[in-house]
């Protein structure tokens, strides 16, 4: 099988090489020479691989503009991101090719980041940073996490990882997701239609859902106003899940205790945007889930798991449903 790995042009941290591929194959118990593997960086590299490649592995920023001519043998498209909303509409996807994401790659890093953010919010670090910038000495007291209610919207890889850490710290975890099946780290899991009913008792709100038509602007101004005044918000999903102007207004007015935001609309945040000066806000530049040391190796592990499933006629664990958007 011809497998082509296309690196982003100009990237230095998140790149594939042959040694990384061979190590992943060894972890899977396979033979590194079983497949023909090519690695490219330029559009010319991709074009040269197109006539015979049967699987391609690349990132969201590279793939969409690459299909200028047919790839007649292509069967598998593996994108090294969990959220693929930026690739819609899907008219670029070659007919008959199966689209996959790398859901599962982010669990370790995002779980630790989420725990760090919850601890920062509980200890009112965003407000301390605001006071530091203003040169103001003011005693601010935080609280432990144990026993405090957290609502996590989205219980995929991201939300589940945060839920696990929150539960181990003794928090009372409520999960919200489209399919309200039980989750081992949640005291209850409710459907999205129940969100309004739980927000008034939510001290920490974690947004970890994919961006779809159903979740866009999910936390609008009305819903944000359902939160208590001492509530905190963590967004590790997508910027489009929340009304940015509304949360900025509420933070500036002291209507919310604090926020840690990792995702925004647009990205990067433009120079002079109000987010840069919003009070009681910590900005993370969309880096919460990615570890350069583990990201690509884990992505290759996931690809090889899916390749094995495909070769043996089993359902692909990471098959992306373009109709649902995840």
């Amino acid at each position: 099988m011809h497998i082509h790995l296309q690196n982003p042009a100009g990237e230095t941290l998140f790149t594939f090489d042959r040694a990384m591929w061979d190590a992943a194959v060894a972890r899977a118990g396979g033979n590194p020479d079983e497949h023909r593997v090519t690695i490219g960086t330029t559009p010319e590299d991709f074009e040269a691989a197109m006539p015979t490649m049967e699987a391609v592995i690349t990132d969201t920023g590279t793939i969409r503009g690459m299909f200028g001519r047919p790839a007649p043998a292509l069967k598998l498209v593996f994108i090294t991101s969990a959220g693929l909303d930026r690739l819609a509409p899907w008219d670029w996807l070659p007919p008959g090719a199966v689209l996959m994401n790398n859901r599962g790659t982010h669990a370790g890093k995002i779980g630790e980041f989420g725990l760090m953010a919850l601890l920062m919010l509980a200890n009112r670090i965003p407000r301390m940073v605001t006071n530091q910038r203003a040169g103001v000495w003011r005693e601010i007291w935080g609280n432990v996490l144990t026993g405090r209610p957290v609502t996590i919207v989205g219980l995929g890889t991201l939300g589940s990882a945060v839920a696990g850490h929150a539960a181990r710290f003794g928090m009372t975890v409520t999960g919200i997701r489209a399919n309200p099946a039980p989750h081992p780290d949640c005291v209850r899991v409710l459907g999205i239609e129940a969100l309004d009913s739980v927000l008034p008792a939510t001290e920490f709100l974690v947004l970890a859902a994919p961006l779809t038509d159903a979740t866009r602007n999910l936390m609008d101004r009305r819903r944000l106003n359902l939160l208590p005044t001492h509530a905190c918000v963590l967004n590790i999903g997508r910027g489009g899940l929340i009304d940015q102007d509304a949360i900025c207004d509420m933070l500036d007015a002291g209507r919310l205790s604090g926020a840690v935001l990792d995702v925004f609309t647009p990205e990067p945040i433009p120079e002079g945007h109000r987010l840069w000066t919003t009070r009681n806000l910590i900005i993370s530049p969309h880096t919460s889930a990615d570890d350069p040391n583990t990201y690509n190796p884990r992505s290759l592990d996931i690809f090889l798991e899916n390749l094995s499933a495909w070769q043996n006629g089993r359902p692909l664990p990471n098959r992306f449903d373009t109709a649902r958007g995840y």
Side-chain angles (χ1 to χ4, degrees):
M1 185 177 199
H2 179 190
I3 300 170
H4 181 72
L5 293 81
Q6 184 73 16
N7 285 315
E11 178 59 66
T12 57
L13 287 177
F14 295 92
T15 56
F16 295 104
D17 57 34
R18 184 63 199 227
M20 188 182 293
W21 169 264
D22 289 349
V25 173
R27 287 193 297 273
N31 178 1
D33 297 320
E34 179 182 356
H35 304 289
R36 177 192 169 203
V37 176
T38 55
I39 302 174
T41 301
T42 67
E44 291 75 20
D45 295 333
F46 190 86
E47 187 172 342
M50 287 181 72
T52 59
M53 68 181 183
E54 296 164 85
V56 62
I57 302 171
T58 192
D59 68 296
T60 56
T62 300
I63 190 65
R64 188 165 181 168
M66 287 292 184
F67 289 103
R69 64 190 182 100
L74 188 61
K75 301 176 180 67
L76 302 173
V77 177
F78 184 85
I79 306 297
T80 57
S81 294
L84 305 186
D85 48 280
R86 285 169 288 187
L87 295 180
W90 312 101
D91 51 1
W92 58 270
L93 185 65
V98 174
L99 179 63
M100 295 173 286
N101 65 6
N102 73 344
R103 181 179 59 253
T105 300
H106 310 84
K109 176 69 159 53
I110 199 66
E112 293 183 5
F113 182 95
L115 175 60
M116 175 191 70
L118 290 171
L119 288 166
M120 290 172 65
L121 291 166
N123 286 281
R124 305 182 74 185
I125 300 300
R127 182 157 296 190
M128 292 183 187
V129 170
T130 294
N131 289 346
Q132 177 181 325
R133 288 172 180 160
V136 174
W137 176 279
R138 182 172 296 138
E139 291 179 336
I140 296 174
W141 309 106
N143 304 101
V144 299
L145 292 177
T146 302
R148 300 176 74 184
V150 57
T151 298
I152 301 178
V153 181
L155 288 173
T157 298
L158 306 187
S160 289
V162 178
H165 284 293
R168 284 187 285 276
F169 267 68
M171 300 188 78
T172 302
V173 185
T174 295
I176 300 287
R177 60 179 171 186
N179 172 25
H183 187 281
D185 295 311
C186 298
V187 297
R188 59 178 177 169
V189 178
L190 305 172
I192 195 69
E193 69 281 354
L195 180 58
D196 286 7
S197 68
V198 303
L199 290 176
T202 294
E203 288 193 47
F204 299 88
L205 176 66
V206 179
L207 300 177
L211 184 63
T212 67
D213 289 342
T215 61
R216 190 177 303 277
N217 205 34
L218 180 71
M219 288 303 302
D220 56 14
R221 189 176 296 270
R222 180 190 67 81
R223 281 202 170 109
L224 285 169
N225 273 294
L226 294 177
L227 291 166
T229 56
H230 60 281
C232 304
V233 176
L234 166 62
N235 189 3
I236 51 175
R238 283 288 186 262
L241 296 174
I242 198 167
D243 183 333
Q244 279 185 171
D245 280 330
I247 195 170
C248 287
D249 288 343
M250 295 174 74
L251 288 166
D252 280 336
R255 173 60 183 76
L256 292 172
S257 176
V260 176
L261 304 181
D262 180 62
V263 285
F264 307 90
T265 303
E267 292 183 2
I269 302 170
E271 182 180 355
H273 195 284
R274 67 178 299 191
L275 281 162
W276 293 118
T277 55
T278 295
R279 298 176 65 247
N280 308 327
L281 169 64
I282 299 292
I283 289 174
S284 168
H286 204 148
T287 55
S288 65
D290 303 347
D291 178 350
N293 294 324
T294 62
Y295 193 91
N296 279 2
R298 179 59 184 140
S299 292
L300 288 178
D301 291 343
I302 291 170
F303 169 77
L304 290 170
E305 291 167 10
N306 282 267
L307 178 61
S308 175
W310 180 76
Q311 290 175 322
N312 290 281
R314 301 193 307 270
L316 277 63
N318 287 70
R319 185 165 189 160
F320 188 86
D321 186 336
T322 57
R324 294 191 305 171
Y326 56 91

